[in-house]
Structure formats: structure tokens, C-alpha cells
Amino acid sequence: MNKQISFKEAVTILILMLVMLGWGVIGFGLSPQIPVLTVIALLIFWLQIRGFEWEEVMKGISQGISTAIVPIFIFLLIGTLIAVWIQAGIIPSLMVLGFHMISSHFFVPSVFLVCSLVGLAIGSCFTTVSTVGIALFGMGSTLGINPALTAGAIISGAVFGDKMSPLSDSTNLASAVSETDLFDHIKNMMWSTIPAFIGSLLFFFFLGQSNKATSLAGIAAVESSLRQNFSVSFWAALPIILMFACAWKKVPAIQTLFANIFLSVAMIFVQNPGFKMQKLATLIESGYVSNSGNKTIDALLTRGGISSMMGTVSLIIMTLALGGILMHLGIIDSAMKPLVEHLKKPGRLILTTIMTGIGINLFVGEQYLSVILPANAFKPAYKRIGLAPLALSRVLEDGGSVINYLIPWGVAGSFVASALGVPVLDFLPFTMFSLLSPVFSILSGFTGIGLKWKQEKVA
């Protein structure tokens, strides 16, 4: 039996997968795990009918999951970090500080700016969202602002910071796979990133005006409750300073998280010498449970712990298993290769590269694969028409890494949705930076503005 998968067959499989995933998540409102698991089961069944060896299927699953070991461990550490940050008063202190620094008149755009700066300094969207983002989200809820709008501003700022930071894994990845200098890559991204940033800021500014009459009357009660139930002080800045220092020293993420967790645990015992080890173990495993008596605070600060990340971990394992099957058996490769041969104009090439990155995010749900696969598939086409590697590296970010936050079954999308407690489809229309980035990148391709060529255009 012929086991070579044709272009039409591969495209049909991917389209059917997309329909099933969208039907399950959007149509029936199911959690992403169920549709993804169903797709995996049907794909395996089809591969068996086509005569593929079970060992090859298992090899694809193993290769896909193996790439998730480090991210899964990082997610578990972030769950722990959230719990100890709440217990130590870090996140409550950030909330109190924010109450005094951010005006309700311009709350939404200021959230976007604050998260942009923090993300730029730290180089991690996940960390920005799960720490400062949670604190700002709590403020927004207290002010009565639409949670989806607040989440969109938080994620937009964090994604901008992550994208433009030299400390970001995804930024370094895009630079590496396209064979460009990191800082040249960051500089060149400004052609699409700055317009997307300005457009997002204007969007949040005008949309945020609907909250200009919001009363701050409820803030005093929330702040008083926070001070009564948590240790709110300037010492809360220590873990944040440590995180910034580790980021600038390029300390690996796992080491940075461990150091921050240890410091936060030490602060817990300093603040409360009678704190029991058994209680600490429960905190790390199950998260912090707020019993302040204030419903807003209890809803926002009952979170964290290793167990809170298990839903995300299960989704990561399943999506990467699916991606491993699609890659190892050549389904994605068969669907993309024929496209490259017919792309001879920069506008069409960039548009196709971005759509491919978006498609891989939809089909596979993995941020890094949405960068790596289009890079390998389209690099020859960029060389053939004379575009510089910088043109490719920018497109990989605009159509790959920033889009994963908009995919309900994507690793990044499911993580931020879990951290903030807002479904992806709710905050998607407000995550303006991720929506605008590919638009300006496509415009650059068709207009030639900011488009980098090697030396001269090839006819």
C-alpha cells in the first residue's frame, strides 16, 4: 500500500481537523482537551487504515511530547510561584500599589503600557501575565471593567514585551531559525510592531473611555481588606527585583523561578514564623485559598498551585502528541511544500508564510512549531527572490508566536486563559496587538515599506 501522503490528502486532513476542533470548542463550548483527543483518535484510526505501522505513529507521539518536558516543568513552577506570591503578599502588594498609581480614567491603556514594560524587561509573556497581570486584573475587576477587555490589554502588552525583548525565548528562536542577528531582528521588527503597538494603545484608549466615570468608592474597601489579610509592604518588591536581575543576567527560566520561589517562601516564614511546613506543602500543591470575606478578593486570589496547571499540562501533552504525528508522518510537510514553488512575489510569499504560521497554530496549537515549521518550509523561497533573512524572521513572529495566544487549544492561549480565568474566545477581540501584528506585516510585504532585501531584488 502506498503510504506517501499527497498534497490534497494532507490538506483535506488538516481542514477536517480544523473543522472538528472549531466545532467542538466554539460550537459546543467544550474544553479544548476533548476535541483534541477526539482528533488524535480519529487520526490514528485513519493512519492504521492507510497501512502506517503503529511503531511510526508512536514514534511521532513520543517525538512531539518530548519537546514539552521543559515547558511543562516551567508551568508547574509558575503555578507554585503564583501560590507563594499570594501567600507572601507579593500580588496583593502589587494590587495596592496599582490602586495608587493607575487612574480609573485611563485604566485600560495604562494596563497595556505597564504590561508592555514589564514584558520587555522580563522577556516572558507567561510570567508577566501570571504575576503583574493577575494583580492588574484584580484591579480591573474591582473597578467594574469588562474582564475580557482587561485581559486583552494585559495580554497585548505582555506579548509586545515578550516579542521585543532580547530575553525572550520566542524572539531568540525566530532569530536563530532564520539565521539573523538577534538585535538586528528586534530592530527590524519595529516596522510592523510599532504600528501595531500604537494602534493597540489607541484602541484601548478610546475603548477605555467607557469606564471614565467608574467610581473608586469600592477601592478603599478592597484595599483595606487586602491590608488586613495579607502582608502588604515595600518588601514585596524583592522577588520582583530578583526576577528582573535574573532576566538581565540571562539566568535560565527554571533557575529564575526556583530562586524566586525560595525567596518568596523565606518571606512567608519571616512574616509568619508559625507557618507550618504541612501548610506550605498544601499551598504549593493545591494553591492559595482566600477567605478574606470579600467576594472580589476571594475570587481573584484563590488560585495557583501545581494542581491548577494540570489542565494546561494535559492540553500541552495532547496538542504536542498531535503535532508529532502530523510532522513525523509528513502530513504538514506534504501540505506546505507545493505552496513554496509558486511564490515569486514578496507580498504573496509573506502572506502565505503568515497564513501558514496561523494555520500551524490552529492545527497544532504550539507556539514554537508555528515558527520552526514555516521557517524550514519557506526559507528557500525567501532566498530565491532575494529577500534578506530579516524579512523572514519578522514574519515568523508576526504570524507565529503572537498568534498562539488567540487559539483556545493553543499552549499559550490555554495558559493565559487559565491564569486570568477568562476564556480565550472572550478576550480574543480585545487582544489587539496580536490581531494587528500580522496585518502590518502583510502590508509591509505588499507595499515594500520596511522590507529587507539582501543586496538587490532578483527578477
Side-chain angles (χ1 to χ4, degrees):
M1 180 179 292
N2 180 20
K3 298 180 184 179
Q4 183 66 36
I5 297 176
S6 66
F7 170 74
K8 291 182 178 180
E9 190 175 13
V11 170
T12 301
I13 293 170
L14 295 177
I15 291 176
L16 288 174
M17 282 175 47
L18 177 59
V19 171
M20 292 183 64
L21 290 172
W23 193 16
V25 174
I26 301 174
F28 288 98
L30 302 175
S31 62
Q33 285 91 336
I34 305 305
V36 171
L37 191 61
T38 302
V39 166
I40 292 174
L42 293 177
L43 180 60
I44 291 176
F45 180 70
W46 174 82
L47 289 171
Q48 293 291 283
I49 293 177
R50 281 282 273 108
F52 284 89
E53 297 293 334
W54 176 244
E55 289 75 14
E56 290 301 309
V57 176
M58 289 302 298
K59 186 180 292 185
I61 293 175
S62 299
Q63 290 177 353
I65 294 177
S66 66
T67 64
I69 302 302
V70 173
I72 285 174
F73 193 63
I74 289 175
F75 287 160
L76 298 181
L77 291 179
I78 289 178
T80 301
L81 183 67
I82 292 173
V84 296
W85 266 32
I86 296 175
Q87 180 69 59
I90 313 303
I91 290 177
S93 295
L94 287 172
M95 292 177 66
V96 171
L97 177 64
F99 288 148
H100 292 280
M101 291 182 60
I102 299 180
S103 168
S104 64
H105 294 279
F106 304 102
F107 177 78
V108 176
S110 62
V111 163
F112 173 63
L113 292 173
V114 168
C115 288
S116 297
L117 292 173
V118 174
L120 186 63
I122 294 177
S124 170
C125 178
F126 285 10
T127 305
T128 302
V129 170
S130 60
T131 53
V132 177
I134 291 177
L136 292 171
F137 187 80
M139 293 177 58
S141 297
T142 304
L143 292 171
I145 296 174
N146 180 1
L149 175 58
T150 304
I154 291 169
I155 298 166
S156 290
V159 171
F160 165 82
D162 189 316
K163 180 182 178 184
M164 297 301 290
S165 174
L167 308 174
S168 166
D169 289 344
S170 60
T171 301
N172 279 275
L173 176 65
S175 173
V177 298
S178 58
E179 301 176 5
T180 62
D181 176 77
L182 174 61
F183 291 98
D184 287 343
H185 165 59
I186 292 174
K187 181 179 178 181
N188 185 59
M189 281 198 296
M190 292 183 182
W191 286 101
S192 60
T193 303
I194 296 303
F197 178 87
I198 294 174
S200 300
L201 183 60
L202 292 174
F203 173 82
F204 292 126
F205 178 81
F206 287 111
L207 201 61
Q209 294 306 295
S210 61
N211 300 300
K212 65 183 300 182
T214 301
S215 172
L216 292 175
I219 291 293
V222 173
E223 180 179 340
S224 175
S225 182
L226 286 171
R227 291 185 180 276
Q228 289 174 7
N229 291 276
F230 300 94
S231 178
V232 176
S233 70
F234 67 90
W235 292 110
L238 288 178
I240 300 174
I241 294 172
L242 175 62
M243 186 171 292
F244 275 83
C246 289
W248 285 110
K249 288 292 184 180
K250 298 184 178 179
V251 177
I254 291 178
Q255 296 179 32
T256 298
L257 291 170
F258 266 128
N260 216 293
I261 289 169
F262 289 146
L263 175 59
S264 301
V265 168
M267 291 177 63
I268 291 173
F269 282 105
V270 169
Q271 296 163 4
N272 186 3
F275 199 80
K276 302 294 184 181
M277 288 299 298
Q278 293 85 351
K279 190 174 181 179
L280 176 63
T282 302
L283 175 72
I284 292 174
E285 180 181 354
S286 303
Y288 184 86
V289 179
S290 177
N291 295 305
S292 67
N294 184 300
K295 293 183 178 180
T296 300
I297 292 177
D298 292 344
L300 291 168
L301 298 184
T302 298
R303 63 179 65 231
I306 293 174
S307 61
S308 69
M309 292 295 163
M310 296 313 297
T312 301
V313 168
S314 67
L315 182 59
I316 291 172
I317 291 174
M318 285 189 285
T319 53
L320 290 185
L322 174 60
I325 296 173
L326 294 173
M327 288 187 298
H328 182 69
L329 299 180
I331 297 174
I332 288 180
D333 190 54
S334 296
M336 290 200 307
K337 270 190 174 180
L339 296 175
V340 177
E341 301 175 357
H342 302 287
L343 298 172
K344 299 180 180 179
K345 299 292 184 180
R348 292 180 180 179
L349 178 58
I350 288 174
L351 174 62
T352 304
T353 308
I354 285 181
M355 296 307 297
T356 301
I358 294 174
I360 293 173
N361 271 309
L362 288 168
F363 297 133
V364 182
E366 213 288 316
Q367 186 181 44
Y368 293 160
L369 293 180
S370 70
V371 172
I372 295 171
L373 296 180
N376 293 334
F378 293 107
K379 191 182 297 183
Y382 280 76
K383 290 181 179 179
R384 186 174 66 249
I385 68 173
L387 285 172
L390 285 171
L392 174 61
S393 65
R394 186 182 72 190
V395 173
L396 293 176
E397 294 245 43
D398 289 335
S401 57
V402 305
I403 299 297
N404 199 256
Y405 298 89
L406 306 180
I407 310 301
W409 51 86
V411 174
S414 60
F415 175 82
V416 296
S418 174
L420 297 176
V422 180
V424 174
L425 296 181
D426 286 357
F427 65 67
L428 187 154
F430 303 108
T431 311
M432 195 51 55
F433 181 78
S434 292
L435 294 172
L436 289 178
S437 291
V439 173
F440 284 108
S441 196
I442 293 170
L443 288 175
S444 173
F446 281 100
T447 63
I449 299 175
L451 195 60
K452 298 295 182 182
W453 297 86
K454 281 186 176 179
Q455 293 180 350
E456 59 182 20
K457 299 180 183 180
V458 178

